[in-house]
Each structure stands twice: as C-alpha cells, then as structure tokens.
Amino acid sequence: MLGGGASAAEPLPPPGGPVILTIAGNIEQTNAPGEARFDREMLEALGTASIVTRSQVSETPQTFEGVPLRVVLERVGARGRVMKAVALNDYEISIPLDDLRYEPILAMRIDGQLLTPRDKGPLWIAYPRDAHSILQDLKYDARWVWRLRRLTIE
Ligand SMILES: Nc1nc2c(c(=O)[nH]1)N[C@H]1C(S)=C(S)[C@@H](COP(=O)(O)O)O[C@H]1N2
Ligand SMILES: [Mo]
C-alpha cells in the first residue's frame, strides 16, 4: 500500500527527450492525459541507488544502478496496492506494492553499462535478491521485469 496521505510535491514537467517510462492509473501527477511520462534525465534527477546481487540470469554478482521504485512512485503521487508492469515485449505481471519494503530499483545500468532496449533495457526492475532469502524464489524472479516500459497503479 502506498499513499495514505502522502502527496506528490511539484507538478511534473513534460519530458524533453525520448520517453522510456510511462506511469498510469491511480496517480496524482501527470504530464500527459492520464499519464506521467519520463525520459532518462527526469528519472536520473530523482536520485540513483545501486544493488549488488546475483540474479536469475547471473550467478556472478552484478551492480544494478537506477532509481528506487519508491521514489518514482512518490514523485507521481501513486496510491494503490498493486502495480501492473508491462515490458516492450508485452510481458506483463502484477507486483504488490508491499514489495517496496525490499527497496527494488528501476535499473538503468548494469556494471556501469547503460541498458538499451537491445538487451534488458531501457529499465529493468531489480531486487536486492542476495540480501533477502525470501526473494530467492521464482515468484520474485518473475517480477524482475526487463525492457520495462509501463506501470499502471491499481
Ligand atoms: N520483459 C520481460 N521480463 C521478464 C520476463 C519476460 O519474459 N519478459 N520473464 C520473467 C521471468 S518469468 C523470469 S523468471 C525472469 C528471468 O527470465 P529469463 O530467464 O527469461 O530472462 O525475468 C522476468 N522478466
Ligand atoms: Mo519465470
């Protein structure tokens, strides 16, 4: 559950560059009809964090760097219990917002390399999998949406 009285501070400016993430659904801040659109610069300006962890796709720890999901959702004034995440390949999964307790990020870089839509980019949802044994499970692996393009707050 996110929200409970918290409100987003400033109106969201329109993106100046290519849109890499669109957020829709139950949000307070929009910069397009019913949607909040972000380019890379807008996301990076929210502040980045990193996670060093192994994953379903790498037995060697990698450094995932990006924007904390919580910060992005707070910026748009998201309120709800679940977010539907949709990828460029139309992969789709519902993620409970309770997962924010694990501080997942929207990763833009891996080991310093910018993710592009040709690999797992532009955004890849990453969890601190090594830090929490509960996350070492297919249920959570399926929430590591790569090539993420859209979130809908429900
Ligand atoms: N965009 C996208 N993200 C995705 C998937 C997918 O098919 N497309 N599969 C999910 C599932 S079910 C798992 S277990 C992990 C790892 O999937 P992979 O081994 O196919 O990369 O990524 C998740 N993220
Ligand atoms: Mo999976």
Side-chain angles (χ1 to χ4, degrees):
M1 177 75 177
L2 187 73
S7 70
E10 313 239 317
L12 198 65
V19 174
I20 61 170
L21 177 69
T22 300
I23 307 181
N26 196 1
I27 58 175
E28 287 176 4
Q29 295 294 334
T30 58
N31 56 12
E35 296 182 346
R37 297 176 181 169
F38 291 85
D39 61 20
R40 181 181 311 285
E41 202 177 324
M42 291 166 70
L43 288 174
E44 280 175 342
L46 295 176
T48 58
S50 52
I51 292 172
V52 180
T53 188
R54 289 167 293 179
S55 70
Q56 170 77 0
V57 300
S58 174
E59 287 175 14
T60 309
Q62 292 176 302
T63 301
F64 294 82
E65 188 190 350
V67 189
L69 178 61
R70 177 187 296 280
V71 173
V72 177
L73 295 184
E74 282 175 352
R75 183 66 185 83
V76 298
R79 289 162 186 254
R81 294 183 175 281
V82 169
M83 66 175 198
K84 187 178 74 179
V86 184
L88 288 169
N89 64 343
D90 290 336
Y91 175 77
E92 184 177 313
I93 191 167
S94 282
I95 298 178
L97 292 178
D98 273 347
D99 279 10
L100 293 175
R101 73 178 68 189
Y102 302 115
E103 299 177 44
I105 66 171
L106 302 183
M108 289 184 267
R109 287 188 168 77
I110 298 220
D111 293 336
Q113 292 288 108
L114 202 60
L115 289 167
T116 72
R118 297 180 62 185
D119 41 67
K120 302 285 193 187
L123 297 169
W124 188 358
I125 299 177
Y127 287 77
R129 193 181 194 272
D130 285 354
H132 302 278
S133 55
I134 194 174
L135 298 179
Q136 294 153 29
D137 188 284
L138 278 177
K139 179 174 111 179
Y140 288 97
D141 289 337
R143 298 176 186 174
W144 283 62
V145 179
W146 34 267
R147 305 185 78 196
L148 177 70
R149 68 175 171 88
R150 189 177 180 87
L151 298 174
T152 303
I153 313 302
E154 293 162 357

Short mmCIF file of all heavy atoms in Angstrom, two decimals, residues 40-74:
data_model
loop_
_atom_site.label_atom_id
_atom_site.label_comp_id
_atom_site.label_asym_id
_atom_site.label_seq_id
_atom_site.Cartn_x
_atom_site.Cartn_y
_atom_site.Cartn_z
N ARG A 40 14.95 9.66 -19.64
CA ARG A 40 16.03 9.18 -18.78
C ARG A 40 16.52 10.26 -17.79
O ARG A 40 16.75 10.00 -16.62
CB ARG A 40 17.19 8.70 -19.65
CG ARG A 40 18.37 8.16 -18.87
CD ARG A 40 19.49 7.72 -19.78
NE ARG A 40 19.02 6.85 -20.86
CZ ARG A 40 18.67 5.58 -20.69
NH1 ARG A 40 18.75 5.03 -19.49
NH2 ARG A 40 18.25 4.88 -21.71
N GLU A 41 16.64 11.47 -18.32
CA GLU A 41 17.14 12.57 -17.48
C GLU A 41 16.23 12.83 -16.28
O GLU A 41 16.70 13.05 -15.16
CB GLU A 41 17.23 13.82 -18.37
CG GLU A 41 18.18 14.88 -17.88
CD GLU A 41 18.26 16.05 -18.87
OE1 GLU A 41 18.18 15.81 -20.09
OE2 GLU A 41 18.35 17.18 -18.40
N MET A 42 14.91 12.79 -16.51
CA MET A 42 13.96 13.01 -15.41
C MET A 42 14.10 11.92 -14.35
O MET A 42 14.00 12.19 -13.15
CB MET A 42 12.52 13.00 -15.95
CG MET A 42 12.15 14.18 -16.82
SD MET A 42 10.61 13.86 -17.71
CE MET A 42 9.41 13.89 -16.37
N LEU A 43 14.30 10.70 -14.80
CA LEU A 43 14.45 9.60 -13.83
C LEU A 43 15.74 9.76 -13.04
O LEU A 43 15.75 9.65 -11.82
CB LEU A 43 14.41 8.24 -14.55
CG LEU A 43 13.05 7.82 -15.08
CD1 LEU A 43 13.18 6.53 -15.89
CD2 LEU A 43 12.04 7.62 -13.94
N GLU A 44 16.83 10.05 -13.74
CA GLU A 44 18.12 10.17 -13.06
C GLU A 44 18.11 11.33 -12.06
O GLU A 44 18.76 11.24 -11.01
CB GLU A 44 19.25 10.34 -14.09
CG GLU A 44 19.64 9.01 -14.69
CD GLU A 44 20.67 9.10 -15.80
OE1 GLU A 44 20.85 10.20 -16.37
OE2 GLU A 44 21.28 8.05 -16.11
N ALA A 45 17.34 12.39 -12.38
CA ALA A 45 17.28 13.54 -11.50
C ALA A 45 16.61 13.21 -10.16
O ALA A 45 16.77 13.93 -9.17
CB ALA A 45 16.53 14.69 -12.18
N LEU A 46 15.88 12.10 -10.11
CA LEU A 46 15.22 11.71 -8.86
C LEU A 46 16.22 11.12 -7.87
O LEU A 46 15.92 10.95 -6.69
CB LEU A 46 14.10 10.70 -9.14
CG LEU A 46 12.92 11.22 -9.96
CD1 LEU A 46 11.93 10.10 -10.25
CD2 LEU A 46 12.23 12.37 -9.22
N GLY A 47 17.41 10.79 -8.36
CA GLY A 47 18.43 10.22 -7.48
C GLY A 47 18.57 8.73 -7.70
O GLY A 47 17.57 8.03 -7.82
N THR A 48 19.80 8.28 -7.76
CA THR A 48 20.02 6.86 -8.06
C THR A 48 20.50 6.09 -6.83
O THR A 48 20.97 6.67 -5.85
CB THR A 48 21.02 6.68 -9.21
OG1 THR A 48 22.24 7.29 -8.87
CG2 THR A 48 20.48 7.29 -10.50
N ALA A 49 20.34 4.79 -6.91
CA ALA A 49 20.79 3.88 -5.86
C ALA A 49 21.32 2.65 -6.57
O ALA A 49 21.01 2.42 -7.74
CB ALA A 49 19.62 3.50 -4.95
N SER A 50 22.11 1.86 -5.86
CA SER A 50 22.56 0.63 -6.52
C SER A 50 22.41 -0.58 -5.63
O SER A 50 22.34 -0.48 -4.41
CB SER A 50 23.98 0.78 -7.06
OG SER A 50 24.83 1.24 -6.06
N ILE A 51 22.32 -1.72 -6.30
CA ILE A 51 22.15 -3.01 -5.65
C ILE A 51 23.21 -3.94 -6.25
O ILE A 51 23.33 -4.02 -7.47
CB ILE A 51 20.74 -3.60 -5.97
CG1 ILE A 51 19.63 -2.78 -5.31
CG2 ILE A 51 20.66 -5.06 -5.55
CD1 ILE A 51 18.22 -3.21 -5.74
N VAL A 52 23.95 -4.60 -5.39
CA VAL A 52 24.89 -5.61 -5.87
C VAL A 52 24.29 -6.97 -5.52
O VAL A 52 24.06 -7.28 -4.35
CB VAL A 52 26.28 -5.45 -5.23
CG1 VAL A 52 27.23 -6.53 -5.76
CG2 VAL A 52 26.84 -4.06 -5.49
N THR A 53 24.01 -7.75 -6.53
CA THR A 53 23.37 -9.04 -6.27
C THR A 53 23.54 -9.99 -7.45
O THR A 53 23.78 -9.57 -8.58
CB THR A 53 21.86 -8.85 -5.97
OG1 THR A 53 21.30 -10.10 -5.54
CG2 THR A 53 21.08 -8.37 -7.19
N ARG A 54 23.43 -11.26 -7.14
CA ARG A 54 23.26 -12.25 -8.19
C ARG A 54 21.80 -12.20 -8.61
O ARG A 54 20.99 -11.55 -7.96
CB ARG A 54 23.62 -13.65 -7.67
CG ARG A 54 25.11 -13.83 -7.43
CD ARG A 54 25.40 -15.07 -6.64
NE ARG A 54 24.87 -14.93 -5.28
CZ ARG A 54 24.94 -15.87 -4.36
NH1 ARG A 54 25.51 -17.03 -4.62
NH2 ARG A 54 24.44 -15.66 -3.16
N SER A 55 21.45 -12.88 -9.69
CA SER A 55 20.06 -12.87 -10.14
C SER A 55 19.75 -14.17 -10.85
O SER A 55 20.63 -15.01 -11.02
CB SER A 55 19.83 -11.69 -11.11
OG SER A 55 20.50 -11.93 -12.33
N GLN A 56 18.51 -14.28 -11.27
CA GLN A 56 18.07 -15.44 -12.04
C GLN A 56 18.93 -15.64 -13.28
O GLN A 56 19.12 -16.75 -13.74
CB GLN A 56 16.60 -15.23 -12.43
CG GLN A 56 16.03 -16.21 -13.41
CD GLN A 56 15.70 -17.54 -12.76
OE1 GLN A 56 15.88 -17.73 -11.58
NE2 GLN A 56 15.19 -18.47 -13.58
N VAL A 57 19.46 -14.54 -13.82
CA VAL A 57 20.21 -14.64 -15.07
C VAL A 57 21.72 -14.51 -14.90
O VAL A 57 22.44 -14.56 -15.88
CB VAL A 57 19.70 -13.61 -16.12
CG1 VAL A 57 18.23 -13.85 -16.43
CG2 VAL A 57 19.90 -12.19 -15.64
N SER A 58 22.20 -14.33 -13.65
CA SER A 58 23.65 -14.25 -13.45
C SER A 58 24.06 -14.84 -12.11
O SER A 58 23.60 -14.38 -11.05
CB SER A 58 24.12 -12.80 -13.54
OG SER A 58 25.50 -12.71 -13.21
N GLU A 59 24.93 -15.83 -12.15
CA GLU A 59 25.44 -16.43 -10.91
C GLU A 59 26.57 -15.61 -10.31
O GLU A 59 27.00 -15.87 -9.19
CB GLU A 59 25.91 -17.87 -11.18
CG GLU A 59 24.75 -18.82 -11.39
CD GLU A 59 25.19 -20.22 -11.77
OE1 GLU A 59 26.38 -20.53 -11.60
OE2 GLU A 59 24.33 -20.98 -12.24
N THR A 60 27.05 -14.64 -11.09
CA THR A 60 28.07 -13.72 -10.60
C THR A 60 27.35 -12.45 -10.15
O THR A 60 26.45 -11.99 -10.85
CB THR A 60 29.05 -13.34 -11.74
OG1 THR A 60 29.50 -14.55 -12.35
CG2 THR A 60 30.23 -12.56 -11.22
N PRO A 61 27.73 -11.88 -8.98
CA PRO A 61 27.08 -10.64 -8.57
C PRO A 61 27.32 -9.52 -9.59
O PRO A 61 28.41 -9.40 -10.15
CB PRO A 61 27.76 -10.29 -7.23
CG PRO A 61 28.30 -11.58 -6.74
CD PRO A 61 28.68 -12.37 -7.96
N GLN A 62 26.27 -8.75 -9.84
CA GLN A 62 26.36 -7.61 -10.75
C GLN A 62 25.87 -6.38 -10.00
O GLN A 62 25.09 -6.48 -9.06
CB GLN A 62 25.47 -7.83 -11.98
CG GLN A 62 25.95 -8.94 -12.90
CD GLN A 62 24.99 -9.19 -14.04
OE1 GLN A 62 23.81 -9.49 -13.82
NE2 GLN A 62 25.47 -9.06 -15.27
N THR A 63 26.32 -5.22 -10.43
CA THR A 63 25.89 -3.96 -9.82
C THR A 63 24.78 -3.35 -10.69
O THR A 63 25.02 -3.00 -11.84
CB THR A 63 27.05 -2.97 -9.69
OG1 THR A 63 28.07 -3.58 -8.89
CG2 THR A 63 26.59 -1.68 -9.02
N PHE A 64 23.59 -3.29 -10.11
CA PHE A 64 22.44 -2.69 -10.78
C PHE A 64 22.31 -1.27 -10.26
O PHE A 64 22.23 -1.07 -9.04
CB PHE A 64 21.16 -3.46 -10.46
CG PHE A 64 21.13 -4.87 -10.99
CD1 PHE A 64 21.77 -5.89 -10.31
CD2 PHE A 64 20.47 -5.16 -12.18
CE1 PHE A 64 21.76 -7.19 -10.81
CE2 PHE A 64 20.45 -6.46 -12.68
CZ PHE A 64 21.09 -7.48 -12.00
N GLU A 65 22.28 -0.30 -11.16
CA GLU A 65 22.16 1.09 -10.73
C GLU A 65 20.95 1.73 -11.39
O GLU A 65 20.72 1.57 -12.60
CB GLU A 65 23.42 1.87 -11.12
CG GLU A 65 23.45 3.27 -10.53
CD GLU A 65 24.57 4.12 -11.10
OE1 GLU A 65 25.44 3.58 -11.80
OE2 GLU A 65 24.53 5.33 -10.85
N GLY A 66 20.16 2.42 -10.57
CA GLY A 66 18.97 3.06 -11.12
C GLY A 66 18.22 3.83 -10.05
O GLY A 66 18.78 4.16 -9.01
N VAL A 67 16.96 4.09 -10.31
CA VAL A 67 16.15 4.91 -9.41
C VAL A 67 15.31 4.01 -8.52
O VAL A 67 14.67 3.07 -9.01
CB VAL A 67 15.20 5.81 -10.23
CG1 VAL A 67 14.51 6.81 -9.33
CG2 VAL A 67 15.96 6.52 -11.32
N PRO A 68 15.31 4.27 -7.21
CA PRO A 68 14.43 3.48 -6.35
C PRO A 68 12.97 3.57 -6.81
O PRO A 68 12.47 4.67 -7.05
CB PRO A 68 14.62 4.11 -4.96
CG PRO A 68 15.97 4.76 -5.02
CD PRO A 68 16.10 5.24 -6.45
N LEU A 69 12.34 2.43 -6.93
CA LEU A 69 10.94 2.42 -7.37
C LEU A 69 10.08 3.30 -6.47
O LEU A 69 9.20 4.02 -6.93
CB LEU A 69 10.42 0.97 -7.38
CG LEU A 69 8.97 0.78 -7.76
CD1 LEU A 69 8.69 1.28 -9.17
CD2 LEU A 69 8.59 -0.70 -7.62
N ARG A 70 10.35 3.24 -5.15
CA ARG A 70 9.56 4.04 -4.22
C ARG A 70 9.61 5.53 -4.56
O ARG A 70 8.60 6.23 -4.51
CB ARG A 70 10.07 3.83 -2.78
CG ARG A 70 9.34 4.69 -1.76
CD ARG A 70 9.97 4.58 -0.39
NE ARG A 70 9.88 3.24 0.17
CZ ARG A 70 8.80 2.76 0.75
NH1 ARG A 70 7.70 3.49 0.86
NH2 ARG A 70 8.80 1.54 1.24
N VAL A 71 10.79 6.00 -4.91
CA VAL A 71 10.96 7.43 -5.21
C VAL A 71 10.16 7.83 -6.46
O VAL A 71 9.51 8.87 -6.49
CB VAL A 71 12.46 7.75 -5.38
CG1 VAL A 71 12.66 9.19 -5.85
CG2 VAL A 71 13.20 7.51 -4.07
N VAL A 72 10.18 6.97 -7.46
CA VAL A 72 9.44 7.25 -8.70
C VAL A 72 7.93 7.30 -8.40
O VAL A 72 7.22 8.20 -8.84
CB VAL A 72 9.74 6.18 -9.77
CG1 VAL A 72 8.90 6.45 -11.03
CG2 VAL A 72 11.22 6.16 -10.11
N LEU A 73 7.47 6.32 -7.61
CA LEU A 73 6.03 6.27 -7.31
C LEU A 73 5.60 7.44 -6.44
O LEU A 73 4.50 7.97 -6.60
CB LEU A 73 5.68 4.92 -6.67
CG LEU A 73 5.89 3.70 -7.57
CD1 LEU A 73 5.41 2.43 -6.87
CD2 LEU A 73 5.17 3.86 -8.92
N GLU A 74 6.48 7.84 -5.53
CA GLU A 74 6.16 9.00 -4.69
C GLU A 74 6.11 10.28 -5.54
O GLU A 74 5.28 11.15 -5.31
CB GLU A 74 7.18 9.15 -3.55
CG GLU A 74 6.91 8.15 -2.42
CD GLU A 74 7.97 8.18 -1.32
OE1 GLU A 74 9.00 8.86 -1.49
OE2 GLU A 74 7.75 7.48 -0.32
#
